[in-house]
Amino acid sequence: MTRYDIAIIGTGPAGLEAAITAKVRNKNIILFGSNDLSHKMQVVKHPILNYLGLPSVTGVQMAEAFQKQLKELDIQITEQRVSNVYAMGDYYTLQLNNNETVEATSVILASGVVVGKQYDGEENFLGRGVSYCATCDGPLYKGKTVAVISTSKEEEEEVHYLSEVAQKVLYFPQYKEEVGLKADNIEVHHEKPVEIAGMMKANTLKSDQGEYPVDGIFVLRPTQFPGSLVPGIQIEDNAVKVDLQMHTNLPGLFAAGDIAGRPYQYIKSAGQGNIAALSAVQYVSEIAKKK
């Protein structure tokens, strides 16, 4: 298996700047995100006035400029979602939502902030009836009943996959768009989940309108909460705690941009992405010297 020098999660200004800086420093990188880049940029159609070098451009125009620079540097984007990041000593293993894994000496988290908060019981039952990856854990529920909470219409493909495996899917969409799923064994509930409950294992999803006994619960979000994504990472004020060099409490793991806290500004995110990449480059060099 190829072990990358640096894995970067996120295609907003922080992640893109980190990728560009690491590539210029001749590091072997892999960049996870969307080819359309950050959704946060795509919806901003008013001028952004304080980004140095790109005066009065919209978020959409900024994304186009970023994409042009990625193309010039031959930086590819891997659109598989990272569901978990595990520290393995002197490297990290990234679990993808297609059940594959990637190894990297260093990781930069730049995936932005998660809107909302975790459901009561969600973190407690993670790995014990609660999953964030349909492809990874769906086969465990063959012929069973599962509940799926989704915050984005983009997750419907994973819900459809679960309908092919499970006997029944109770679907709780938390978005405004019309649900496009037609499978006979998908039961749509336009309710607000409030709690995940159980004893040794999660077996009940409670909503604002009732309780549903299930064999497993999938919580699908475009971006995971940092504490769920990386076991052991230190969180402070709902953000990943970093120092001025973007180090987290885990060696070789860095964070930049909105995930590292306020202010939520494009220019701040890009600057932190640059710093995180330089810190990761230094870390990779130090690890190489020890071998």
Side-chain angles (χ1 to χ4, degrees):
M1 177 185 293
T2 299
R3 182 175 296 176
Y4 295 91
D5 292 323
I6 305 171
I8 302 157
I9 305 172
T11 46
L16 298 178
E17 178 59 40
I20 290 168
T21 299
K23 185 66 179 285
V24 169
R25 294 295 296 267
N26 296 316
K27 295 306 174 186
N28 183 19
I29 68 170
I30 183 167
L31 174 62
F32 292 98
S34 169
N35 281 317
D36 293 329
L37 306 189
S38 168
H39 178 71
K40 181 180 176 181
M41 287 191 291
Q42 297 294 354
V43 298
V44 176
K45 298 182 179 179
H46 58 77
I48 298 166
L49 302 178
N50 71 332
Y51 198 98
L52 183 65
L54 294 175
S56 300
V57 299
T58 65
V60 175
Q61 292 170 325
M62 183 179 289
E64 291 173 351
F66 291 167
Q67 286 170 323
K68 180 180 178 182
Q69 191 167 1
L70 292 179
K71 186 176 181 180
E72 290 175 350
L73 292 172
D74 194 27
I75 296 175
Q76 307 296 319
I77 296 173
T78 299
E79 290 200 297
Q80 288 295 336
R81 182 172 303 139
V82 179
S83 55
N84 288 105
V85 178
Y86 299 107
M88 307 297 289
D90 61 352
Y91 72 96
Y92 287 84
T93 293
L94 289 75
Q95 178 76 49
L96 310 185
N97 68 342
N98 64 355
N99 218 21
E100 295 182 357
T101 59
V102 167
E103 292 182 359
T105 301
S106 179
V107 177
I108 297 174
L109 304 178
S111 50
V113 293
V114 182
V115 178
K117 62 179 182 178
Q118 289 181 299
Y119 299 105
D120 288 344
E122 177 183 336
E123 184 174 6
N124 183 48
F125 287 107
L126 183 61
R128 297 189 297 119
V130 172
S131 174
Y132 296 140
C133 180
T135 307
C136 306
D137 297 330
L140 299 175
Y141 298 95
K142 185 176 182 179
K144 298 182 179 181
T145 297
V146 298
V148 183
I149 305 168
S150 174
T151 62
S152 168
K153 188 174 176 63
E154 297 174 5
E155 314 304 325
E156 288 188 2
E157 183 176 346
E158 290 205 56
V159 181
H160 177 72
Y161 165 71
L162 284 171
S163 73
E164 296 178 336
V165 177
Q167 181 180 30
K168 188 175 184 180
V169 175
L170 307 182
Y171 188 44
F172 295 79
Q174 303 301 294
Y175 49 86
K176 297 179 180 180
E177 297 94 332
E178 182 179 353
V179 175
L181 298 164
K182 304 297 182 182
D184 293 337
N185 64 334
I186 297 178
E187 188 177 283
V188 180
H189 295 266
H190 293 287
E191 303 171 22
K192 181 180 179 180
V194 294
E195 183 183 355
I196 295 171
M199 295 295 289
M200 297 300 294
K201 183 176 180 291
N203 59 20
T204 303
L205 178 63
K206 299 180 181 180
S207 78
D208 57 354
Q209 298 183 36
E211 297 186 8
Y212 299 87
V214 294
D215 297 298
I217 299 168
F218 289 82
V219 183
L220 306 180
R221 301 184 180 94
T223 302
Q224 293 296 359
F225 288 94
S228 302
L229 180 65
V230 188
I233 196 171
Q234 189 172 353
I235 307 297
E236 184 175 84
D237 296 329
N238 297 318
V240 176
K241 186 176 181 180
V242 294
D243 63 15
L244 292 178
Q245 301 306 312
M246 303 295 110
H247 296 86
T248 70
N249 63 305
L250 300 176
L253 182 72
F254 307 88
D258 290 355
I259 197 172
R262 296 179 182 274
Y264 300 145
Q265 295 280 312
Y266 294 137
I267 193 70
K268 167 260 191 180
S269 294
Q272 287 190 341
N274 173 262
I275 296 170
L278 293 175
S279 294
V281 166
Q282 181 179 1
Y283 175 81
V284 169
S285 298
E286 292 172 353
I287 292 295
K289 291 177 183 178
K290 294 179 181 178
K291 293 185 177 180

